[in-house]
Structures are given as structure tokens and as C-alpha cells.
Amino acid sequence: MKNIYEAGPPLLRQLESEVHVWFSTPEAITDPERLAYYAAILSPEESARHQRFHFDKDRHLFLVSHALVRRVLSAYIDVDPLVWQFSRNEFGRPEVSSPDISCSLRFNLTHTSGLAACVVTLNADCGIDAEKIHARGDQAGIAEKMFAEPEQAELKKLRGQAFLERFLAYWTLREAYCKALGVGIAHAKKDYFFEIEGSGQYRIRFQSPSSGQGRHWQFTVLRPGLEHMVAVAIRSEGLSRKEVVHRFIVP
């Protein structure tokens, strides 16, 4: 299998027509030398956050997911992974602040138990969210509080696994959309909702019929395995739909 990190610039050119999603399975990465390398490429701020986690599993997930971002970005721009520096907006969304690259390379990171994922785009806001598929908490109550009426109506028609998967689709889509906007899920509103088109793709609808905002977004729901659901949101600005290419890697 070809080492994707030798591809470099061709990967960057592919982003003109593609969106790339990189998956990794943190629990499968246990080699001490590899983990030591991951720790060495973290920034001082990331290292401090890494050490603050109380549980080993949380430290491990943080370490692998943040190494994933650095290794993935270096697949597009020929710089050492430790060189990347990031700034954060008021809601915590990271953006590349250094090195000074000649293109607008955008990314977003998510991780949950058993999965880390990073989406990369060129000149487009992006957001990604991953959830493990299992029932927890009062999901019907969460839907009533967080989801728009059309989404709640669809959920009321479903039971069991069908309800769970549709609930998680709506939830991850909302998370990904808010992250692409650069805000937290706490700022999600009920003036929009997600629905499935005949093609099986999701689209966003706004309660105000005069709003044309939905035309500027592309959404994809992925199932990288039986246990996880991942949603990706891309600000398309009304351009043609880009192909979402996803692959598993060991960073």
C-alpha cells in the first residue's frame, strides 16, 4: 500500500474537487515509540492539555487525535508535523496560524470512543462530528429541546435502532454544522432542520422560505464502521457538490 505521506502536493490539488476525511482507531495504536513520537510533536499548549486528563484512555485519545491532525496536514504541505501552530476562536475552533502557507487549508477534528476523525478542505469552512452508536440518556428529551419540529415529527415515527440512528444523524449534523460556522452546539437554533433527499443525502432547510442559506452547504453522513456515525458539513457557497473521500490511517 502506498504511503500517503509521500503524495504531498498531489493531495493538495485533489482538494480542488474533493473533501478528505481521515479516520484513525486510537485504541489500536499502542507502539511505545510511535506514541512517544506523537507526544514529541505536540505544542506546549497541547502537551499541557494532554497531561490534564485524569484517565489514561482520555489522554490516549487526545494524543492520537492531535497527532492525526498534524500528520494529515503535513500530507498536504511539506513541513514537519511539529511546525504547525494553531489559533482558536472564542468557541475553541482551531485554525492554522503558522506556517504561513499560500493556500487556505481548513480542517476540523472530532473524536469519540473508538474513533478519531479529521476533515480537510481547501477554501471552505468545514466541520465534523463523530458519535458512537449506542443509546444513552433521555434522547427523546434532548430531541425536544434541541431539534426543530420537522425533525421531532420524523423521530416520533421511528422506534428502536431506527430511532437511535436517525437521532444520531440529526445530532452529528447539527454538531458538524455548528463547528463549520465556528460556534458551539449550545448556539444551535430551531429555525433550521435536516432532511433526507431522495438520493439519501441530507440537506439543511430553514424555516424562513426566503432564506437561501441552505444552497451554500453540503452535508454527508458516513458510517466508517458498525459502531460509529460521522457527519461532515462543508460551506459550498452554491458550487457543485464535492466528492467526500475517506480512508483509515495510522498517523
Side-chain angles (χ1 to χ4, degrees), residues 39-183:
I41 63 176
L42 296 183
S43 70
E45 184 267 341
E46 288 170 328
S47 294
R49 290 170 61 199
H50 175 233
Q51 293 303 318
R52 283 198 294 268
F53 285 99
H54 180 71
F55 296 106
D56 288 343
K57 65 176 184 177
D58 296 327
R59 280 197 298 273
H60 185 78
L61 184 56
F62 180 94
L63 178 63
V64 173
S65 60
H66 284 74
L68 173 67
V69 168
R70 291 176 171 275
R71 292 279 285 171
V72 161
L73 292 178
S74 291
Y76 298 92
I77 305 294
D78 187 20
V79 300
D80 193 291
L82 64 81
V83 170
W84 296 102
Q85 296 183 39
F86 309 106
S87 59
R88 294 178 176 274
N89 73 0
E90 60 181 306
F91 301 103
R93 183 178 74 175
E95 301 287 353
V96 174
S97 61
S98 179
D100 185 15
I101 56 180
S102 60
C103 61
S104 181
L105 194 63
R106 311 295 299 278
F107 75 94
N108 198 236
L109 171 68
T110 187
H111 52 75
T112 188
S113 177
L115 186 73
C118 178
V119 59
V120 183
T121 62
L122 192 62
N123 304 316
D125 293 332
C126 59
I128 188 169
D129 185 57
E131 295 289 341
K132 190 165 186 177
I133 301 174
H134 63 92
R136 61 189 186 279
D138 179 14
Q139 291 172 321
I142 293 173
E144 185 175 346
K145 180 180 179 181
M146 299 294 294
F147 296 166
E149 289 183 6
E151 293 165 326
Q152 294 181 45
E154 287 300 311
L155 285 172
K156 288 175 181 177
K157 300 175 185 176
L158 305 173
R159 295 290 184 275
Q161 189 70 13
F163 173 92
L164 175 61
E165 295 196 10
R166 183 65 62 86
F167 171 87
L168 288 174
Y170 289 154
W171 179 266
T172 54
L173 285 163
R174 256 180 163 65
E175 282 267 23
Y177 177 58
C178 287
K179 291 172 74 174
L181 290 173
V183 301

Side-chain angles (χ1 to χ4, degrees), residues 195-203 219-221 241:
E195 65 178 13
I196 303 177
E197 298 178 300
S199 62
Q201 296 289 342
Y202 280 88
R203 64 179 173 181
F219 297 93
T220 302
V221 174
R241 191 176 187 89

Side-chain angles (χ1 to χ4, degrees), residues 28-48:
I29 302 173
T30 59
D31 178 68
E33 290 188 8
R34 185 181 294 275
L35 294 174
Y37 168 70
Y38 291 170
I41 63 176
L42 296 183
S43 70
E45 184 267 341
E46 288 170 328
S47 294

